[in-house]
Amino acid sequence: MASPPHPWLKPAVLVGGLHPLASMALAFAWGALGANPIERVLNQTGLLALILLVASLACTPLKGVSGWTWPIRLRKLLGLLGFTYASAHFFTYVVLDQGLALGVILEDIAKRPFITVGFLALVLLVPLAVTSTNRMVRRMGFPAWQRLHRLAYVAASLGVVHFVWRVKKDLTEPLVYGGVLALLFAIRVAEALRKRRARSSAQVPARPV
Amino acid sequence: MRLKLPEPQGSEITSESLYLRRREFIKSAALFTGTAAAVGAGLQLLSNRPTGGDGPPLLATPGDAPKVVRPRGPYDTDERATSYEDATTYNNFYEFGLDKGEPAENAHTLKPRPWTVVIDGEVHKPQRVDMDTLQSWFPLEERVYRMRCVEAWSMVIPWLGFPLAGLLRRVEPTGKAKYVSFTTLKDPAQMPGQKYPVLDWPYVEGLRLDEALHPLTMMAVGMYGRVLPNQNGAPLRLVVPWKYGFKGIKSIVRISLTEKQPPTTWNQANSREYGFYANVNPEVAHPRWSQASERRIGELRRRPTLPFNGYAEQVAELYKGMDLRGNF
């Protein structure tokens, strides 16, 4: 079997994608994360989760616009990396930040919209991660799988809302990610409309003049 | 017989396909390394916000100041002071940047001398006084106070300064004076963060007169036995230990006594989240997080937050009969 082009691509993105996690873990162990290491880890893992999710959602539009096929081969990996960071973010909050104080955590999730949306985003990512294998795609059938994975857009949007509600004053950064996400979504919608139009015009039976 | 030149045996010759694959392998390895490094570096660039510890050299040099043994004062806490490095590299001072590591990096543009402070409003003796003169009016006291930020972290800081009450009595408030308002310097050349309309500059804060006269309320000019570092609010800042940290306005240029409650910056920016009083209260949650516990900088586990930041015995009297939930 011929190996796909650029065999180095996926391992490289995997290694590069895990680098911040590894360097954070080392810096945490060495006490090199500044005055409030837990806050720092929370901020960075959360931001990385959002960046990688948006990067994963950029793959299909990028292929559509550029014609390259390699972005598609990275889509799953980027999504799973995003899920990894989202999980790391959640466990940092639950274990390091709140010290497993279940009552406080449940109250946070139930009563504070900022935390509710973040938690919801993570919950939505779980079925996507579980069904990310090729076997699951075959088992579910591609259309159903595709429909389910549209949730990625919902999860990323909730991530942006979580970020907007977290910042105290300056909204620039969360809005940049929101803007990129909106642009990607617009490209997907335009593409879907174009396909539908093409399909329906093809279905119109030729009428005798 | 011809001279036989040493020739490689056929088996030793690298086949063309292997030769090409080797080149391809090296190329792939280089691309792998380059891509991995680019992805890793790119993600770090987008997501990593250093705060303290691994930043540039400090403005003031850390290191152990000679320990002055003095009797513990009536308002001192005996809790261990936060490290000087943490207290000077982890600061909210939006005039020098929004990340807590930025003030330590950027505050070198502030010039704390010469410095003039205006004291006016409802006082019999309004003043325009040079900072050194003002400081010479009072003996400096050291007070070790807890500092609780509204963001649910806390520190213990040995401040150097004098009670605000002394300064107020000196300028003789009129009978109409009910509040004290404070104003930070406004000069975007010295405070680059003021070039961006993140908050309504200059930063303003206020206290009720009885709060301002309380013996715990102090004006700080130093900490850890040193001159106040720029990022901590040089040359003159307010310290009100039973209130959230944002009440402790920094780099003050004006103190005015007023009849009406003065506007305060964070209350104006978001009145749902930040009140005028801002007394530390574990029972009144910030809309986005609980205030029931806090992380002491330097510790990993959270600790419970105390009413009035542990100063209830001294200050609860000021708020007798007041609805502390409504007046958060």
Side-chain angles (χ1 to χ4, degrees), chain B residues 137-187:
Chain B
W137 291 343
F138 310 97
L140 293 188
E141 278 179 51
E142 188 178 60
R143 302 258 189 103
V144 186
Y145 280 166
R146 287 179 286 275
M147 203 281 287
R148 169 63 156 81
C149 178
V150 75
E151 297 168 345
W153 53 266
S154 63
M155 293 183 179
V156 173
I157 299 176
W159 299 105
L160 272 178
F162 50 87
L164 174 60
L167 180 62
L168 294 179
R169 294 212 173 91
R170 195 180 168 103
V171 295
E172 297 175 14
T174 69
K176 283 195 201 159
K178 298 279 183 300
Y179 294 91
V180 185
S181 92
F182 305 85
T183 310
T184 294
L185 174 74
K186 184 179 178 184
D187 180 359

Side-chain angles (χ1 to χ4, degrees), chain B residues 289-308:
Chain B
W289 57 83
S290 159
Q291 295 290 28
S293 68
E294 67 199 50
R295 171 159 299 110
R296 178 68 51 84
I297 295 303
E299 298 177 355
L300 285 188
R301 292 192 71 105
R302 283 173 171 267
R303 49 165 73 211
T305 289
L306 304 172
F308 297 106

Side-chain angles (χ1 to χ4, degrees), chain A residues 6-21 23-24 28 32-40 43-44 47-48 51-52 78 81 85 96-99 104 107-108 111-115 163-170 173 177, chain B residues 27-29 31-33 35-37 39-41 43-44 46-54 86-87 89-90 92 94 98 100 149-151 153 155 198-199 246 266 269-270 273-274 285-291 293 295 297-302:
Chain A
H6 316 315
W8 47 269
L9 183 61
K10 270 205 231 177
V13 172
L14 177 66
V15 168
L18 289 176
H19 165 251
L21 189 65
S23 80
M24 240 184 294
F28 189 87
L33 285 179
N36 198 343
I38 294 176
E39 178 194 46
R40 174 100 168 260
N43 288 347
Q44 202 181 345
L47 191 50
L48 283 163
I51 291 169
L52 288 160
L78 289 169
L81 280 169
Y85 280 103
L96 293 179
D97 187 36
Q98 299 295 338
V104 178
E107 190 191 307
D108 265 357
K111 277 184 27 188
R112 304 189 213 290
F114 147 65
I115 295 181
F163 194 4
V164 166
W165 281 347
R166 193 208 78 89
V167 293
K168 225 156 121 190
K169 204 65 193 112
D170 186 31
E173 204 180 2
Y177 289 102
Chain B
K27 199 176 132 201
S28 289
L31 284 166
F32 166 82
T33 312
T35 309
V39 170
L43 288 173
Q44 284 286 27
L46 286 172
S47 69
N48 194 11
R49 303 293 140 75
T51 53
D54 47 7
D86 284 349
T89 56
Y90 188 75
N92 277 319
Y94 279 18
L98 303 180
K100 282 186 264 292
C149 178
V150 75
E151 297 168 345
W153 53 266
M155 293 183 179
V198 183
L199 291 170
F246 68 87
W266 276 105
N270 190 342
E273 299 190 347
Y274 310 101
H286 183 280
R288 289 179 284 155
W289 57 83
S290 159
Q291 295 290 28
S293 68
R295 171 159 299 110
I297 295 303
E299 298 177 355
L300 285 188
R301 292 192 71 105
R302 283 173 171 267

